[in-house]
Amino acid sequence: MFDLYLFDLDGTLVDTRRDIAEAVNHVLQLHARPVADLATVISWVGDGLDDMMARAFKTDEGEFVDELVDEFRSYYKDHCTDFSYVYEGCSETLTSLQEQGAHLSVLTNKPQDLSLEILRHLGILQYFDRVVGPSDTDLRKPDPSNLLSLVRDIGTSKERTLMVGDSRNDILVARNAGVASCGCTFGYIGRDALLELNPTYLIETWPGLLLLADPAS
C-alpha cells in the first residue's frame, strides 16, 4: 500500500523517556530546582528542546532557554541511550518493510545529531534512507515542509506515503501534508488521546504495521 514510511523517533521507534527525564532533571538540579517525575517531563516532550526546557523552567527568556538547552545537550549526548530501548517487534517489522521494497525515513522534532546517535547506538540506523530533524524551528512538525520534501526526494506520491507516530504532532503533520497517518498506542500519549486525533490507522504493536502493507488484510 505504501512506498514511503516516515517514523517519529521518541515514543515510536525508541522508548527514550527515562533518558530524557534524567537529562532534564540534571539541568533542573544544576539550577537548584526541584526534579520532575517521569510523566511530567514527558508531557513537555514533542515540540523541540527549547520548548521543553522553557516548560521545565516556566520561562520564555530566550538567552536563558538557550543556556538550558546547551546544558541539556551536554549531558544528554553522553547519556542518551543509558536506559532507552527499541520497541519490541520494531527491528523485525522494519526488516520486513525493507524486504517488500519500501523506503523508510525518520521525521522527528529531535535535533538530527542526537537522533543519529540514538539510532546508531541502538542498532537501527541502517534501516533508514534519511533521518530528518528540524533545521529551523519553523519547520518542526506539524509543519509539513520536511515531510513533503521527503516525498519529493523519494519520488513517490502523497497517496503512497504513511506517517507513523505516537503524538499529536505526528497525526497533524500527516493531515497538513495530505498523507495517511498511523498512531502508535504503545507510545507516550496513549490510545485515548490518539483516537481523539482521528488518525487514519491505529496500531497496538509494531507488527501491526505489517497488516497495513498486506492488501489482503
Side-chain angles (χ1 to χ4, degrees):
M1 288 177 65
F2 301 105
D3 296 326
L4 173 60
Y5 291 78
L6 303 175
F7 299 97
D8 177 47
L9 175 57
D10 299 289
T12 301
L13 294 165
V14 180
D15 189 329
T16 53
R17 283 177 286 194
R18 184 171 173 185
D19 286 322
I20 293 172
E22 294 279 343
V24 169
N25 282 325
H26 170 77
V27 180
L28 285 167
Q29 289 176 307
L30 287 178
H31 294 267
R33 304 289 182 93
V35 298
D37 62 33
L38 182 64
T40 300
V41 173
I42 296 310
S43 74
W44 300 331
V45 171
D47 295 311
L49 297 186
D50 53 351
D51 189 86
M52 180 177 69
M53 299 312 297
R55 292 176 183 177
F57 281 79
K58 298 181 175 62
T59 181
D60 57 2
E61 297 177 22
E63 290 187 6
F64 183 42
V65 171
D66 289 344
E67 176 188 340
L68 297 172
V69 168
D70 288 343
E71 291 169 348
F72 175 91
R73 288 178 63 98
S74 178
Y75 179 89
Y76 187 66
K77 69 181 181 181
D78 294 326
H79 299 277
C80 59
T81 57
D82 285 357
F83 301 102
S84 295
Y85 59 89
V86 178
Y87 282 107
E88 184 177 357
C90 174
S91 297
E92 295 85 351
T93 301
L94 295 175
T95 297
S96 294
L97 291 173
Q98 268 195 337
E99 289 174 348
Q100 294 171 23
H103 294 275
L104 314 177
S105 291
V106 174
L107 181 63
T108 176
N109 282 347
K110 198 183 208 88
Q112 186 182 46
D113 62 326
L114 297 176
S115 300
L116 288 168
E117 179 65 22
I118 292 168
L119 295 167
R120 183 182 298 112
H121 197 269
L122 294 180
I124 58 171
L125 179 60
Q126 72 274 11
Y127 290 109
F128 303 108
D129 299 327
R130 292 171 175 79
V131 177
V132 178
S135 57
D136 186 284
T137 56
D138 292 335
L139 298 181
R140 291 175 184 163
K141 296 178 293 185
D143 185 284
S145 300
N146 284 335
L147 191 159
L148 293 171
S149 292
L150 284 166
V151 173
R152 287 193 296 270
D153 290 346
I154 294 299
T156 187
S157 65
K158 293 190 289 185
E159 291 76 20
R160 296 187 64 83
T161 298
L162 181 68
M163 178 70 212
V164 182
D166 72 304
S167 76
R168 179 177 183 274
N169 282 336
D170 299 318
I171 308 306
L172 292 182
V173 73
R175 188 170 301 151
N176 291 342
V179 306
S181 61
C182 179
C184 302
T185 65
F186 50 80
Y188 295 170
I189 71 170
R191 180 186 179 88
D192 291 343
L194 281 171
L195 282 173
E196 290 180 3
L197 295 165
N198 196 30
T200 315
Y201 306 100
L202 205 64
I203 56 172
E204 308 282 348
T205 64
W206 257 94
L209 195 59
L210 296 177
L211 296 177
L212 307 183
D214 182 359
S217 68

